[in-house]
Amino acid sequence: MTDTSALTDQQPSTLQSGQPQPLGATREEGGTNFAVYAPEATRLELCLLTPGGERCIDLPERTGDVWHGWLPDDHPLSSGVGQGYGYRVHGHHDPDQGVYAQPEVRLLDPYARALSGPEEPVLNEEGHVASLHAPWAWCWIRQQKLR
């Protein structure tokens, strides 16, 4: 289990509001919009993989059941396309009702376009694959980049 409390305390700034659509990590001029459908969450953290380790920042806005935030390119934690990331969800945890909120577990982005790079996977500290911010579409069936 990863303790992110110390890392969260070190975050240099927060994210901007962003937009609730489209879902996933969407590259736009000047930064990336992150949007995740999480109706049961009371808090949702975007966790960026940096050379210094995992750094988590709260997604600052909720529109309906979608949490969202904007990570500008000039943010101190942004390394742009190819940066590994995931989410930590806070809230009520009741597996019998299909509600899972375990902030100690970093989750993959359910809307991710890629889970690893073509040469080397981006792994978290436990050795698990991370979501990647990818500028291209990925064909899961053929496991190749679409042209």
Side-chain angles (χ1 to χ4, degrees):
M1 179 183 339
T2 303
D3 177 13
T4 62
S5 59
L7 298 176
T8 302
D9 292 342
Q10 295 173 10
Q11 67 190 33
S13 62
T14 60
L15 298 178
Q16 298 171 16
S17 295
Q19 299 296 319
Q21 294 293 327
L23 296 173
T26 304
R27 178 78 186 143
E28 298 173 4
E29 180 146 350
T32 303
N33 189 71
F34 292 89
V36 180
Y37 175 80
E40 301 294 333
T42 58
R43 176 180 170 207
L44 204 142
E45 294 176 280
L46 169 64
C47 298
L48 301 166
L49 301 182
T50 70
E54 177 184 275
R55 300 292 188 259
C56 297
I57 306 172
D58 287 346
L59 288 180
E61 295 292 326
R62 182 176 180 168
T63 302
D65 291 333
V66 177
W67 292 82
H68 50 92
W70 172 260
L71 179 69
D73 288 340
D74 62 357
H75 190 283
L77 298 180
S78 176
S79 60
V81 173
Q83 182 169 17
Y85 71 96
Y87 298 103
R88 293 189 184 275
V89 179
H90 300 257
H92 180 67
H93 183 73
D94 187 353
D96 292 337
Q97 297 298 313
V99 178
Y100 299 89
Q102 296 175 282
E104 65 274 10
V105 176
R106 184 175 61 231
L107 302 173
L108 294 174
D109 183 346
Y111 314 101
R113 292 179 180 89
L115 295 179
S116 64
E119 285 84 29
E120 295 290 328
V122 175
L123 303 177
N124 66 16
E125 58 279 357
E126 290 94 19
H128 299 121
V129 175
S131 303
L132 288 179
H133 175 201
W136 34 262
W138 187 261
C139 176
W140 292 106
I141 295 171
R142 294 189 183 141
Q143 297 181 358
Q144 64 187 9
K145 193 163 132 180
L146 298 177
R147 297 190 210 312

